[in-house]
Amino acid sequence: MTAGIPASPSAAPVPRLSQGLQTLGEYKGSGFTERRYIVRRGDGQVIQLSRLLYLVVSSVDGVRDAEAISHRVSGRYGAEVTTDNIVYLVENKLTPLGITVPFGDHPDEVVAPRSDLLLALRGHKVIFHEAHVARIAAALAWLHQPLVVALTLAGVVVMDVWLFAVHGAMTPVLQVLEQPLWMLILFALTVASLLFHEFGHASACRYSGAVPGKIGCGIFLIWPSMYTDVTDVYRIGKAGRLRTGLGGVYFNVIFMLVLTAAYLLTGQSFLLAAVYLAHFEVLEQLMPAVRLDGYYILGDLAGVPDLYGKVKPILLSMLPGHHPAAAQVADLKRSARTIVTVWVLTMVPLLLAEAAYALWNLPRLLATAARGLHDQCLGTVAAFADGHLAAGLVGVIGTLMLLCPMAGGIYLAARLAARLWRAAARASEGKPVVRLSLA
């Protein structure tokens, strides 16, 4: 094991973990041929490690030096791991990933690579801290018992048959559009549904034996979005992870049943309008294209926690010749590789087509949105001037809903253009003819 590894210094150094690092244990039910282990950096990035690297990380406490760690790891690994090996693994494997800090350094933050920055949630703001989430999740965990789930699913079948085949779903929506006050109530119910959705994830995580984290909000792509920290589910089995992934839409179903029952008691049309719109929320969440519930559910089915991290290796593996990056999919089980390959060949062209369409039509889309924003602002000011408070508040919400995609679209276009520019500059470096052609 020591071949090609530089000699260790006379005094064995003391490795230290980066601030906030958590060891989550083995990734149960993974789609890899070899066992994988999970750690989580302080910035939230989850990283998979081999058994040897995980044993090293588990032995680093800021007190043991490399020699002491080598003895501890050797006993657990079942093979000799020398002091030089430990130093090499820390310096060349763990430190570049931001798991350990460079020897002798004491940085407050570790600058390390993150996967898929373009599709990451930004501007995190905590709404419920871990302690509050734990209490509420424990109180709601009983809703995930098999009998309750069966009754809920039977109830939603009856509800949908009645709503879409008997009563009619569009009539309540049209009635709400005529009443500004009802539109405000509908907006509040939609926000409540989104929050209840997150507690579905947290309570499913708690019921499955893992510990839920905080609930917060941020900006995903161009829209405000809520999130629940359920990283701890990586250390439990596949069934628990699937339950956690489906817990959000399951709670949306419960929310719809409650609203339907309230409508039957009160006859208020806005309640049925909220039920109708909640169906679209469920369908949106189940889409596996971006990092919504469907993406994580598919990843749990495949046993691959980061599908986007496999896009490049999967595509390269389809090309003739040997590509080093393609080796990253060689350790996938056949079933997992099939699922990921189908996802890549389906979702990547779809996302590229949507991005190309948006960029090509961006000037026209922005012009249309600007006209709509102008008209919306005039209508909002007029509503407040005439003393129509509810209509004015609806106008404010409408204005914000126009501003969010406009600002987000410009931001995404700028980031994508910058990425393409940097990639083109690297590809054409020292090749003026190629650079001129790209320009």
Side-chain angles (χ1 to χ4, degrees), residues 58-69:
S58 301
S59 300
V60 174
D61 60 0
V63 177
R64 299 187 187 96
D65 61 14
E67 182 178 1
I69 292 173

PDB file of all heavy atoms in Angstrom, residues 58-69:
ATOM      1  N   SER A  58     -13.511   8.786  10.565  1.00  0.00           N
ATOM      2  CA  SER A  58     -14.086   8.455  11.868  1.00  0.00           C
ATOM      3  C   SER A  58     -13.044   8.443  12.972  1.00  0.00           C
ATOM      4  O   SER A  58     -13.396   8.574  14.157  1.00  0.00           O
ATOM      5  CB  SER A  58     -14.779   7.081  11.803  1.00  0.00           C
ATOM      6  OG  SER A  58     -15.795   7.082  10.829  1.00  0.00           O
ATOM      7  N   SER A  59     -11.779   8.290  12.611  1.00  0.00           N
ATOM      8  CA  SER A  59     -10.715   8.228  13.613  1.00  0.00           C
ATOM      9  C   SER A  59     -10.071   9.579  13.873  1.00  0.00           C
ATOM     10  O   SER A  59      -9.274   9.716  14.810  1.00  0.00           O
ATOM     11  CB  SER A  59      -9.637   7.228  13.156  1.00  0.00           C
ATOM     12  OG  SER A  59     -10.180   5.936  12.988  1.00  0.00           O
ATOM     13  N   VAL A  60     -10.388  10.578  13.052  1.00  0.00           N
ATOM     14  CA  VAL A  60      -9.813  11.916  13.233  1.00  0.00           C
ATOM     15  C   VAL A  60     -10.608  12.666  14.287  1.00  0.00           C
ATOM     16  O   VAL A  60     -11.814  12.875  14.137  1.00  0.00           O
ATOM     17  CB  VAL A  60      -9.811  12.694  11.902  1.00  0.00           C
ATOM     18  CG1 VAL A  60      -9.350  14.132  12.128  1.00  0.00           C
ATOM     19  CG2 VAL A  60      -8.924  12.009  10.872  1.00  0.00           C
ATOM     20  N   ASP A  61      -9.939  13.044  15.372  1.00  0.00           N
ATOM     21  CA  ASP A  61     -10.608  13.791  16.440  1.00  0.00           C
ATOM     22  C   ASP A  61      -9.869  15.060  16.820  1.00  0.00           C
ATOM     23  O   ASP A  61     -10.235  15.724  17.803  1.00  0.00           O
ATOM     24  CB  ASP A  61     -10.780  12.906  17.675  1.00  0.00           C
ATOM     25  CG  ASP A  61      -9.456  12.396  18.230  1.00  0.00           C
ATOM     26  OD1 ASP A  61      -8.396  12.735  17.661  1.00  0.00           O
ATOM     27  OD2 ASP A  61      -9.475  11.650  19.236  1.00  0.00           O
ATOM     28  N   GLY A  62      -8.826  15.409  16.088  1.00  0.00           N
ATOM     29  CA  GLY A  62      -8.051  16.602  16.403  1.00  0.00           C
ATOM     30  C   GLY A  62      -7.017  16.394  17.472  1.00  0.00           C
ATOM     31  O   GLY A  62      -6.264  17.321  17.792  1.00  0.00           O
ATOM     32  N   VAL A  63      -6.958  15.192  18.042  1.00  0.00           N
ATOM     33  CA  VAL A  63      -5.982  14.876  19.090  1.00  0.00           C
ATOM     34  C   VAL A  63      -5.020  13.782  18.608  1.00  0.00           C
ATOM     35  O   VAL A  63      -3.801  13.905  18.764  1.00  0.00           O
ATOM     36  CB  VAL A  63      -6.692  14.426  20.382  1.00  0.00           C
ATOM     37  CG1 VAL A  63      -5.676  14.028  21.436  1.00  0.00           C
ATOM     38  CG2 VAL A  63      -7.607  15.536  20.897  1.00  0.00           C
ATOM     39  N   ARG A  64      -5.564  12.744  18.001  1.00  0.00           N
ATOM     40  CA  ARG A  64      -4.710  11.655  17.518  1.00  0.00           C
ATOM     41  C   ARG A  64      -3.845  12.135  16.356  1.00  0.00           C
ATOM     42  O   ARG A  64      -4.329  12.842  15.458  1.00  0.00           O
ATOM     43  CB  ARG A  64      -5.556  10.470  17.038  1.00  0.00           C
ATOM     44  CG  ARG A  64      -6.440   9.844  18.097  1.00  0.00           C
ATOM     45  CD  ARG A  64      -7.092   8.572  17.533  1.00  0.00           C
ATOM     46  NE  ARG A  64      -8.088   8.026  18.453  1.00  0.00           N
ATOM     47  CZ  ARG A  64      -9.381   8.272  18.380  1.00  0.00           C
ATOM     48  NH1 ARG A  64      -9.851   9.043  17.424  1.00  0.00           N
ATOM     49  NH2 ARG A  64     -10.212   7.744  19.266  1.00  0.00           N
ATOM     50  N   ASP A  65      -2.588  11.722  16.353  1.00  0.00           N
ATOM     51  CA  ASP A  65      -1.738  12.018  15.202  1.00  0.00           C
ATOM     52  C   ASP A  65      -1.889  10.908  14.173  1.00  0.00           C
ATOM     53  O   ASP A  65      -2.615   9.924  14.381  1.00  0.00           O
ATOM     54  CB  ASP A  65      -0.282  12.203  15.631  1.00  0.00           C
ATOM     55  CG  ASP A  65       0.307  10.965  16.292  1.00  0.00           C
ATOM     56  OD1 ASP A  65      -0.298   9.881  16.196  1.00  0.00           O
ATOM     57  OD2 ASP A  65       1.383  11.078  16.918  1.00  0.00           O
ATOM     58  N   ALA A  66      -1.204  11.075  13.039  1.00  0.00           N
ATOM     59  CA  ALA A  66      -1.357  10.134  11.943  1.00  0.00           C
ATOM     60  C   ALA A  66      -0.945   8.720  12.341  1.00  0.00           C
ATOM     61  O   ALA A  66      -1.538   7.740  11.874  1.00  0.00           O
ATOM     62  CB  ALA A  66      -0.544  10.605  10.738  1.00  0.00           C
ATOM     63  N   GLU A  67       0.058   8.591  13.211  1.00  0.00           N
ATOM     64  CA  GLU A  67       0.501   7.265  13.630  1.00  0.00           C
ATOM     65  C   GLU A  67      -0.574   6.565  14.452  1.00  0.00           C
ATOM     66  O   GLU A  67      -0.877   5.380  14.231  1.00  0.00           O
ATOM     67  CB  GLU A  67       1.799   7.376  14.435  1.00  0.00           C
ATOM     68  CG  GLU A  67       2.366   6.031  14.863  1.00  0.00           C
ATOM     69  CD  GLU A  67       3.676   6.160  15.615  1.00  0.00           C
ATOM     70  OE1 GLU A  67       4.126   7.301  15.818  1.00  0.00           O
ATOM     71  OE2 GLU A  67       4.235   5.123  16.006  1.00  0.00           O
ATOM     72  N   ALA A  68      -1.177   7.283  15.403  1.00  0.00           N
ATOM     73  CA  ALA A  68      -2.240   6.696  16.216  1.00  0.00           C
ATOM     74  C   ALA A  68      -3.442   6.326  15.356  1.00  0.00           C
ATOM     75  O   ALA A  68      -4.086   5.285  15.552  1.00  0.00           O
ATOM     76  CB  ALA A  68      -2.650   7.658  17.324  1.00  0.00           C
ATOM     77  N   ILE A  69      -3.740   7.183  14.375  1.00  0.00           N
ATOM     78  CA  ILE A  69      -4.853   6.894  13.481  1.00  0.00           C
ATOM     79  C   ILE A  69      -4.569   5.654  12.649  1.00  0.00           C
ATOM     80  O   ILE A  69      -5.463   4.827  12.407  1.00  0.00           O
ATOM     81  CB  ILE A  69      -5.138   8.117  12.586  1.00  0.00           C
ATOM     82  CG1 ILE A  69      -5.690   9.271  13.424  1.00  0.00           C
ATOM     83  CG2 ILE A  69      -6.128   7.764  11.476  1.00  0.00           C
ATOM     84  CD1 ILE A  69      -5.851  10.563  12.661  1.00  0.00           C
TER      85      ILE A  69
END
